[in-house]
Amino acid sequence: MRLPRPLGISGPEVWLPERRQSAREAVDLGLLDAETADELGYDRLPVADLAPPEMACEAGRRALAAAGVPAAEVGAVLHAWIHYQGHDLWSPAHFIADRLGAGAAVPVGVQQVCNGGAAAVELAAARLFVEPGLGSALVTTADAFLEPGFDRWSGDYGIGYGDGATALVLHHLADTEGGRPADLVLHSISTVAAPRLERMHRGDDPFSPAARTLGPRVDIRRTKKAFLAAEGLEAFTEASARALRSAVESCLEAAGLAATGDQPPRYVVAPRLGRKTVDLAYAPLLTKLTGAELLRPGTDTGHLGAGDAAASLAELHARRLLEPGEYALVVSAGAGFTWSCLLVSAA
């Protein structure tokens, strides 16, 4: 998505529960073996005591306060998630808007699995340009991967799932009418999909009438095994590499940058997947395409469901990693499959 002009990101926040489960503790409890724990590379994963929408409210409240944006002035609330939000046939986005006092906002739920947070930013950006009077958009994500329905350590290959929430405020910059100062500047977003890979999370399972009808837990290993048996690993790796390359190159091009130019990004930030997965599927290609230093966040958060991209934006800001004039390319990915890249700089 080539933005007509850059947008501001303010108050990016990650909210994590206090409770943690370490990888060592998980091994001792028999939740995973030591070899898998080493391949994942996570020190510990956060474990929620609140429901996901409640965590999203905590993150959203902090984001609005840090951005200096009253909730009543928010024009849109976009909430993304991948796992159960606590009620059936219900809108967590409306709950979040109501609890935060954003009564004038239009709440929207975004379902693009783990790429949902990046998709929500892209949708919010589009609406800000279509409707200049919108003011600000609040983007939140939240997930909790709790027993008995989800095995956070061994329910998937190459990923450990952490509980938590993120939030950020997207808005026009101060040099435009109605704009405001920002913490980060968003220059471009690109999204590329490979729908033929949707079977990776469906496998050979029949359509069922209700969640977890086929078993007591979400079992992503089962569906991935079925896909690989039918299609082969090469089908996934080739499609993934093509899509990731396209997303990276189009994002840089949209902002007038190129890895071979005079100003490549300072950092490229990988999704919060396991260490081995990043090593095999992301690190070589991202480093080659961008020439940037690769950041591997998430050793103390795990994969945050729809929140990986926003969490990385929050860490870039909180740790003051970017100097004026420096860029970071934040990479997001989700089942389906879809890949997004967000190019940001220090404000």
Side-chain angles (χ1 to χ4, degrees), residues 10-13 57-69 138-139 166-169:
S10 290
E13 291 282 339
C57 288
E58 295 293 335
R61 196 170 289 114
R62 294 184 184 185
L64 290 170
V69 176
L138 176 68
V139 176
T166 70
L168 59 82
V169 179

Side-chain angles (χ1 to χ4, degrees), residues 86-104:
H87 292 281
D88 300 323
L89 199 62
W90 173 74
S91 172
H94 286 73
F95 172 89
I96 294 163
D98 180 58
R99 287 299 177 93
L100 293 179

Side-chain angles (χ1 to χ4, degrees), residues 55-133:
M55 294 192 290
C57 288
E58 295 293 335
R61 196 170 289 114
R62 294 184 184 185
L64 290 170
V69 176
E73 295 180 9
V74 173
V77 173
L78 293 89
H79 178 63
W81 69 95
I82 78 170
H83 192 45
Y84 191 61
Q85 296 288 287
H87 292 281
D88 300 323
L89 199 62
W90 173 74
S91 172
H94 286 73
F95 172 89
I96 294 163
D98 180 58
R99 287 299 177 93
L100 293 179
V106 176
V108 177
V110 179
Q111 270 289 289
Q112 204 186 58
V113 209
C114 301
N115 198 52
V121 171
E122 190 168 22
L123 292 170
R127 188 165 177 199
L128 282 168
F129 286 115
V130 170
E131 190 177 349

Side-chain angles (χ1 to χ4, degrees), residues 8-332:
I9 296 173
S10 290
E13 291 282 339
V14 183
W15 190 92
L16 300 174
E18 292 185 5
R19 188 156 59 108
R20 299 288 194 279
Q21 185 174 64
S22 70
R24 177 181 292 276
E25 181 183 357
V27 171
D28 290 343
L29 291 171
L31 301 177
L32 79 166
D33 58 76
E35 182 181 356
T36 301
D38 182 65
E39 291 177 350
L40 289 174
Y42 300 119
D43 295 331
R44 55 193 176 273
L45 298 179
V47 180
D49 294 312
L50 296 177
E54 294 175 316
M55 294 192 290
C57 288
E58 295 293 335
R61 196 170 289 114
R62 294 184 184 185
L64 290 170
V69 176
E73 295 180 9
V74 173
V77 173
L78 293 89
H79 178 63
W81 69 95
I82 78 170
H83 192 45
Y84 191 61
Q85 296 288 287
H87 292 281
D88 300 323
L89 199 62
W90 173 74
S91 172
H94 286 73
F95 172 89
I96 294 163
D98 180 58
R99 287 299 177 93
L100 293 179
V106 176
V108 177
V110 179
Q111 270 289 289
Q112 204 186 58
V113 209
C114 301
N115 198 52
V121 171
E122 190 168 22
L123 292 170
R127 188 165 177 199
L128 282 168
F129 286 115
V130 170
E131 190 177 349
L134 186 70
S136 300
L138 176 68
V139 176
T140 65
T141 75
D143 275 295
F145 304 98
L146 303 174
E147 294 282 4
F150 205 105
D151 181 345
R152 71 175 69 251
W153 289 104
S154 300
D156 198 352
Y157 290 116
I159 306 173
Y161 291 75
D163 304 344
T166 70
L168 59 82
V169 179
L170 193 67
H171 55 85
H172 291 289
L173 291 169
D175 59 357
T176 62
E177 184 178 353
R180 60 178 64 243
D183 295 317
L184 296 170
V185 177
L186 177 66
H187 295 273
S188 61
I189 312 173
S190 65
T191 298
V192 177
R196 65 163 295 197
L197 300 178
E198 60 80 23
R199 187 180 174 187
M200 182 75 80
H201 287 71
R202 176 173 57 86
D204 294 331
D205 292 354
F207 288 96
S208 56
R212 299 201 298 277
T213 300
L214 300 177
R217 287 179 175 175
V218 175
D219 188 353
I220 305 169
R221 291 191 175 200
R222 181 184 67 240
T223 61
K224 287 185 175 179
K225 282 180 182 178
F227 174 90
L228 294 174
E231 304 283 344
L233 180 60
E234 191 173 316
F236 175 78
T237 56
E238 289 182 353
S240 174
R242 281 197 304 271
L244 181 58
R245 175 185 291 273
S246 178
V248 169
E249 292 178 342
S250 60
C251 190
L252 293 174
E253 181 183 355
L257 297 180
T260 56
D262 296 330
Q263 194 179 28
R266 175 71 178 85
Y267 300 107
V268 57
V269 190
R272 295 167 184 247
L273 309 178
R275 179 170 55 204
K276 184 176 180 179
T277 301
V278 173
D279 284 346
L280 294 175
Y282 288 89
L285 187 57
L286 291 177
T287 301
K288 178 182 178 181
L289 290 175
T290 66
E293 180 180 343
L294 179 68
L295 299 183
R296 301 162 173 263
T299 58
D300 60 347
T301 69
H303 176 50
L304 290 171
D308 278 9
S312 293
L313 292 171
E315 289 188 10
L316 284 171
H317 171 59
R319 295 171 58 191
R320 299 295 192 270
L321 292 177
L322 295 174
E323 297 292 336
E326 292 184 335
Y327 295 86
L329 186 72
V330 176
V331 180
S332 175

